[in-house]
Structure formats: C-alpha cells, structure tokens
Amino acid sequence: MDKLDSNASKEEGFCQLSEDYKQIYLSLTYSIIFVLGLPLNGTVLWLSWCQTKRWSCATIYLVNLMVADLLYVLTLPFLIVTYSLGDRWPFGDLLCKLVRFLFYTNLYGSILLLTCISVHRFLGVCHPLRSLPYRTPRHAWQGAAATWALVVLQLLPTLAFSHTDYVDGQMICYDMTSPENFDQFFTYGVVLTLSGFVLPSMVILVCYSQMVRSLTKPRETLMGTGNAARAKSIRTILLVCGLFTLCFVPFHVTRSFYLAIRFLLSEDCQLLETASAAYKIWRPLASLSSCLNPVLYFLSGGNNRVKLLQKLRQNRVAEHPAGAKAEMPTGVQVWILPR
C-alpha cells in the first residue's frame, strides 16, 4: 500500500524511508476499526430495515452513510493481512483496485452525505416553511443517488492509478500510484481534495454558521423550532464538526503536505520522511469515521436509542416466551378479569 514512497526513492536515487512501524501500527488500527465498525454499522442497518414507519430524510442519508461504511469495513481484512505480511499483497490486481477505490468512496461519500445532512438540517432550522416542499423522502433519495453518482465519477481515476507491481521479488499494491505516474496523480489529488473536501467543508461551514446564529436567537423568534428540534440541531452540529476535526481535516492536511513534498522537495529526505510518517499515521484515523458515523445515527434522533432497546427486548421475549408470561404480575390479571 505504501511502497510508493520507499520504492520511488530507490528508483529515483533519492531517499530510503524507514517504515517499520507500519507493520504493527496499521495492522492494529485497522483491526480495531474492523471489530468496532462491522457490528455498529450492521446494527444501524438492521434497525433501519426493521423500522415499520416511513423513513425520514435524515434516516435515508444516514442509512446510505452506513452502507458506505460497511462496504469499506469489509475490505479491512485484506489490509490487515497485507500489513501483517510486511506490505506483501497476495490478493491480485483486481482486489487492489477495489480496496483502494472503496477507501476513497467511503471517505468522500461520507463527506458528501454529511454535507447533505447538514444542508437538510439548515433548511429545517433557518427556512422551515419555505423548504417544506424540498425536505421530503423523495428528494432525500434523489440527493443520496446524486451523491453516489458524483463520488463514483470523482473516483474513477483511482481505478487506473492504483495497481499492483513486483518490488524486490514480492507483489505490492500502490496506495496512490506508481512512481512514473506520480506527476499526473499529484494534479488529480489536488483537484480531488478541492472538490471532495474543501468545497463540501465550506458548504457545511456556511450552513452551521447560519444555524448557530438562528439557534441563538430568542425562542419566541424561532417559528416552529421546539426544544427537541433545537437540541437535535445542536447535536448534529457538534457531531459533524467533531467528525471533521478528528477524521477528515488531519487526513487531508497531512496528505496534501505529503503530496507537495513528494512533488516539490523529494530530495529533502528528512522532510519527506516526516511528511510520509504524518500521512500514514493519520490515514487510518480517517477510517475511524466508519465507527463514529453510527454514533451520529443514535444521537441525532432521540428515539433511535429507544428503538434499539425495544428490538433487543422483543428478541429476548421471543426467545423465552414462557419466561415472559411468568413475569406478568398475576395480581393484575385477577383484578382485571372480573371487571
């Protein structure tokens, strides 16, 4: 995955980077994300599927978010095995392209879906009446479909850039691209960062600044915004800002720094090694959003936690029906029957 740095250094005669930490650090972090992300996202999808009433707009966006997370989490065993083997990729070229593609699909799909959630919440708080015709499940499905289409179009070049190669007698899977294509990848990486991260971040920032200004007004001036809606909006703002601060902003800052150093100052070995280490330390933390997005589902709506407890209680009663009947207070039954 990360042989790009060391192998490019060897071929160009510049630097040899020490990356021994990856074998333990990346294997461990990806294992933790897999163990947490799989049941959390699976639980959210199960709850949503079992929900009998019509899905709200927020639920539609969040379910699409969980699908993106789950698709990525299912690729993590391949990365765990690869780093445990010291960067050796034994799964072939097709899976190499697929794993890289799904990583960026999850990353930029999550950012755009969180942007949709933020815009939806902004319209509900700042323009509750005028936006009613647009805040419907039908428009939410259209927004989610447009998000997936845009993400796939943005990321199609990764299928060409990512590939396998043999280095020192073993197959590796490039994280970005091979050294000879790095100049083209640098241009693509800059465009992807601007369109997939900077622009959505600006939209979210504008929406939340307007929401904060609206929510801090006296309550009597907020038409149709009750305490529950205000609390839900505040939770959404805090959670999405927390996700960006922890996962997305550090990843894109370190990645952009690394790409710039590789492109402009690749002869400065110490600076290149620092940039490479920073990027590789923060990259798995960007995937941590796969574990934190389900938290957004449970905290964005007050009844989501209740639904989980009700489902678990129903399954427990179904498994032990005799025990459920025995637990009913007989005194109440005796009092009710004569009436």
Side-chain angles (χ1 to χ4, degrees), residues 148-170:
W148 284 107
L150 180 59
V151 168
V152 169
L153 286 175
Q154 281 182 311
L155 298 178
L156 281 177
T158 62
L159 295 174
F161 283 120
S162 299
H163 62 89
T164 57
D165 200 357
Y166 283 93
V167 175
D168 296 333
Q170 71 176 22

Side-chain angles (χ1 to χ4, degrees), residues 147-309:
T147 295
W148 284 107
L150 180 59
V151 168
V152 169
L153 286 175
Q154 281 182 311
L155 298 178
L156 281 177
T158 62
L159 295 174
F161 283 120
S162 299
H163 62 89
T164 57
D165 200 357
Y166 283 93
V167 175
D168 296 333
Q170 71 176 22
M171 180 181 287
I172 56 97
C173 176
Y174 287 114
D175 171 35
M176 297 179 180
T177 190
S178 53
E180 59 269 18
N181 296 324
F182 182 77
D183 288 355
Q184 296 93 321
F185 183 85
F186 175 77
T187 303
Y188 168 68
V190 171
V191 174
L192 182 62
T193 299
L194 292 174
S195 63
F197 171 68
V198 175
L199 183 59
S201 298
M202 293 175 62
V203 172
I204 291 175
L205 190 62
V206 170
C207 288
Y208 285 172
S209 62
Q210 294 297 315
M211 286 173 64
V212 169
R213 190 169 69 175
S214 179
L215 290 169
T216 53
K217 291 179 180 178
R219 293 188 180 183
E220 54 270 15
T221 63
L222 293 174
M223 293 182 57
T225 306
N227 291 334
R230 288 166 62 95
K232 186 183 293 187
S233 300
I234 292 171
R235 283 198 300 267
T236 302
I237 293 173
L238 294 176
L239 287 167
V240 173
C241 289
L243 273 171
F244 270 75
T245 302
L246 179 62
C247 300
F248 303 138
V249 172
F251 170 82
H252 283 92
V253 169
T254 55
R255 182 173 180 267
S256 300
F257 178 59
Y258 167 71
L259 288 175
I261 297 301
R262 281 276 297 121
F263 186 72
L264 300 173
L265 300 170
S266 58
E267 298 92 342
D268 191 333
C269 296
Q270 185 175 0
L271 187 58
L272 180 60
E273 185 162 11
T274 301
S276 174
Y279 166 60
K280 279 147 198 170
I281 287 172
W282 278 106
R283 186 180 56 209
L285 298 182
S287 306
L288 193 62
S289 64
S290 301
C291 303
L292 298 179
N293 286 332
V295 178
L296 181 65
Y297 172 85
F298 287 111
L299 296 184
S300 63
N303 61 335
N304 289 331
R305 297 184 299 276
V306 176
K307 285 191 296 185
L308 175 60
L309 293 175

Side-chain angles (χ1 to χ4, degrees), residues 43-56 58-60 62-63 232 297-315:
T43 300
V44 169
L45 289 176
W46 171 67
L47 279 177
S48 302
W49 181 262
C50 295
Q51 187 174 330
T52 55
K53 67 178 183 179
R54 194 181 184 187
W55 285 0
S56 66
T59 300
I60 291 170
L62 287 168
V63 165
K232 186 183 293 187
Y297 172 85
F298 287 111
L299 296 184
S300 63
N303 61 335
N304 289 331
R305 297 184 299 276
V306 176
K307 285 191 296 185
L308 175 60
L309 293 175
Q310 288 176 343
K311 286 292 179 184
L312 294 175
R313 191 177 296 114
Q314 289 172 5
N315 289 346

